[in-house]
Amino acid sequence: MERKHNTELTNNARTLRKNMTREERHLWYDFLKRYPIRFLRQKVIDNYIVDFYCHSARLIIELDGSQHYEEKGLLKDKIRTERIEQRNLTIIRIPNNEVNRNFEGVCQYIDIAVKESLRQPAADTSHESPSQLR
């Protein structure tokens, strides 16, 4: 059976949990930690560490800083997304600036994405962005 993650990344994930970005801390402590559906933070999947993972909804939340919008970052994210989605997981990407300026909209967006994923046997990757929920 193929392993779901690279065990060598476990220590890196532990370090990232201890040193979350400001936006990751805000989303975790002010929303996801107490969300009724369980999320894990800094979860190892394949050769990647994802920001937040919900097993029951088969959903990954990635908070993206400015480096994700540069050409090199966009290409890396595309490859990473394709590889992870082969596991029938859905990735939603949220810019850090949305967490800072529209936290309530981000939380609504995540809540809708989780509920849609739980209703459907296969994850639907077409969600409205948090900026559309204002």
Side-chain angles (χ1 to χ4, degrees), residues 21-102:
T21 66
R22 182 171 48 102
E23 293 80 8
E24 288 170 343
R25 276 194 309 276
H26 184 25
L27 185 59
W28 177 252
Y29 288 108
D30 297 330
F31 183 65
L32 292 176
K33 185 177 181 180
R34 291 175 188 80
Y35 190 74
I37 309 296
R38 183 175 184 218
F39 271 88
L40 300 174
R41 54 196 169 121
Q42 305 304 334
K43 172 75 173 153
V44 177
I45 297 177
D46 285 330
N47 289 313
Y48 304 104
I49 300 172
V50 301
D51 293 337
F52 301 100
Y53 172 67
C54 179
H55 176 76
S56 59
R58 305 200 50 79
L59 183 70
I60 293 169
I61 300 169
E62 287 287 298
L63 298 186
D64 291 344
S66 60
Q67 73 276 13
H68 290 270
Y69 300 100
E70 297 169 0
E71 188 174 340
K72 186 177 178 182
L74 289 168
L75 179 59
K76 279 179 67 176
D77 286 345
K78 181 180 186 298
I79 293 166
R80 173 184 166 117
T81 297
E82 288 171 357
R83 176 108 187 245
I84 291 173
E85 286 181 343
Q86 288 175 351
R87 294 195 168 279
N88 197 28
L89 298 171
T90 299
I91 298 177
I92 58 174
R93 296 188 166 280
I94 300 170
N96 280 341
N97 62 2
E98 280 296 314
V99 173
N100 294 324
R101 69 178 183 188
N102 183 21

Side-chain angles (χ1 to χ4, degrees), residues 98 102 127-134:
E98 280 296 314
N102 183 21
H127 301 286
E128 292 181 55
S129 71
S131 60
Q132 294 172 317
L133 292 173
R134 285 191 189 161

